[in-house]
Amino acid sequence: MDKAFIQRRRRDLIVAAFLTAIAAAVPLFVKDVYVQNIMVLTLMYAALSQSWNILSGYCGQISLGHALYFGLGAYTTALLFTKFGVLPWFGMLAGGLLSAIIAMALGYPCFRLGGHYFVIATIVIAEITLLLFHNWDWAGAALGIDIPVRRDSWVTFQFTRSKLPYFYFALGLACVAWFVTWWLEDSKWGYWWRAVKDNPVAAESLGVVVFNSKMGAAAVSAFLVAIGGSFYAQFVSYIDPESVMGFQFSLLMALPAVLGGIGTLWGPMLGAVILIPLTELTRSYIGGSGRGVDLIVYGGLIIAISLARPQGLVSLFSRKPKPAANQVREAVAS
């Protein structure tokens, strides 16, 4: 194996460990609750975008309906906790597994579509599910679910006096999503996904099982996104269909990866660190006029970044990678 490649992989791990240590120390110096809330949301969306990137970035199956899995994770945890007293930790696992199964069930017909037809299908399915939850009385319908708040405890994963436990869980979730991506990137599946993204026909001629590759990417991506939805439900203690299944969640998962660098290891993290604080700060400081000035500034900055670096901000630091087809040939040969 290429020595430079091995060194880059090790360097990525060292940089990730260093950045994680810095992030873990930040709350010791930042006591403002508002800033801590932004940090929690930034880490959460970093994890969500990293998870979205597995299917849409590496495998090339652009999904704008991932809010479906986010909402399923949130509702599964909330319903199990409020209706049956099941602890959120088990609800997270159940929500992740349910979302992975549903992602593969939906992928069976949808992965036979190509290009913009697949994108439209993901949007339509997510919107249909949103309408179903709007009218599902057992799940609270449009009124949503108010999660009962008990004493602060890791057992029930509820904290009212401090946001730090949520911060460290979000940090852990972001690290897990990054590490899963790092591990898969150099696995057989990672090579298959990049080959499918570049040229499915050529990939299949090299022995790649294209359909199974897409199904695997969908399952992993949906599972991690659902964990993020479960976390969000516990974080806000109240959910309704619009607050966890709205189209804006699908966009906020995709935009950090697109801005940072779609199909890259560090792109979603870099994009989230820039985009999410920008979103929150513009809404807080210039969003009260009711004239949409915050959206104008926010949208203008996104357009400027996209025009300046169409390949993503991570391209400022990375070298040109090998073509995916060459990587697959090397992987098959080995």
Side-chain angles (χ1 to χ4, degrees):
M1 187 177 290
D2 188 358
K3 183 181 293 186
F5 177 77
I6 296 176
Q7 291 177 346
R8 179 179 66 81
R9 297 276 293 172
R10 291 176 178 172
R11 184 172 63 249
D12 285 337
L13 272 181
I14 294 172
V15 171
F18 177 71
L19 293 177
T20 300
I22 293 177
V26 168
L28 301 177
F29 305 97
V30 178
K31 303 298 183 180
D32 187 272
V33 176
Y34 174 71
V35 177
Q36 289 180 354
N37 186 72
I38 293 178
M39 293 192 298
V40 171
L41 293 176
T42 299
L43 290 170
M44 184 190 76
Y45 279 109
L48 294 174
S49 186
Q50 194 83 50
S51 306
W52 177 89
N53 193 45
I54 291 175
L55 176 63
S56 300
Y58 284 98
C59 200
Q61 306 302 298
I62 303 299
S63 169
L64 291 180
H66 259 49
L68 165 64
Y69 309 121
F70 185 82
L72 285 175
Y75 266 98
T76 301
T77 300
L79 286 171
L80 288 177
F81 184 64
T82 56
K83 303 286 187 180
F84 306 105
V86 177
L87 294 177
W89 303 105
F90 298 106
M92 286 184 184
L93 180 60
L97 292 175
L98 176 63
S99 294
I101 293 171
I102 290 178
M104 289 190 289
L106 294 175
Y108 189 80
C110 290
F111 285 140
R112 302 176 192 278
L113 302 173
H116 57 278
Y117 293 108
F118 176 79
V119 179
I120 294 172
T122 61
I123 297 174
V124 170
I125 292 171
E127 289 300 309
I128 290 174
T129 308
L130 174 63
L131 292 175
L132 289 175
F133 273 84
H134 261 296
N135 295 278
W136 190 11
D137 292 333
W138 188 76
L143 295 177
I145 302 174
D146 190 7
I147 300 175
V149 178
R150 302 175 183 175
R151 62 184 179 87
D152 290 9
S153 172
W154 278 103
V155 175
T156 57
F157 195 36
Q158 291 183 323
F159 304 94
T160 57
R161 299 180 180 179
S162 173
K163 291 184 180 292
L164 291 185
Y166 293 120
F167 171 86
Y168 286 113
F169 181 90
L171 177 61
L173 180 60
C175 289
V176 168
W178 184 92
F179 182 78
V180 168
T181 305
W182 176 88
W183 177 69
L184 288 172
E185 190 179 51
D186 190 37
S187 69
K188 176 183 71 174
W189 288 94
Y191 291 122
W192 281 13
W193 292 339
R194 292 195 289 277
V196 169
K197 175 184 177 180
D198 286 350
N199 193 324
V201 177
E204 196 163 19
S205 70
L206 291 170
V208 176
V209 185
V210 174
F211 187 76
N212 290 351
S213 300
K214 295 178 181 180
M215 294 286 273
V220 174
S221 179
F223 181 88
L224 292 173
V225 168
I227 298 297
S230 298
F231 162 75
Y232 185 74
Q234 293 299 120
F235 180 58
V236 298
S237 297
Y238 170 79
I239 61 171
D240 60 30
E242 287 294 338
S243 68
V244 292
M245 285 188 175
F247 182 65
Q248 71 272 14
F249 282 99
S250 295
L251 286 179
L252 282 175
M253 291 181 211
L255 280 177
V258 173
L259 290 178
I262 191 171
T264 64
L265 180 62
W266 291 102
M269 295 291 178
L270 179 60
V273 168
I274 295 174
L275 184 67
I276 303 306
L278 177 63
T279 304
E280 295 299 318
L281 291 173
T282 52
R283 182 168 59 237
S284 297
Y285 289 101
I286 58 177
S289 63
R291 300 177 181 177
V293 178
D294 59 319
L295 299 178
I296 295 174
V297 174
Y298 171 65
L301 290 173
I302 292 177
I303 293 172
I305 294 173
S306 301
L307 291 175
R309 304 301 304 184
Q311 294 179 335
L313 295 174
V314 77
S315 63
L316 293 168
F317 312 99
S318 62
R319 298 177 181 177
K320 186 177 181 180
K322 290 183 180 180
N326 293 344
Q327 293 176 333
V328 172
R329 291 192 188 96
E330 294 174 4
V332 172
S334 62

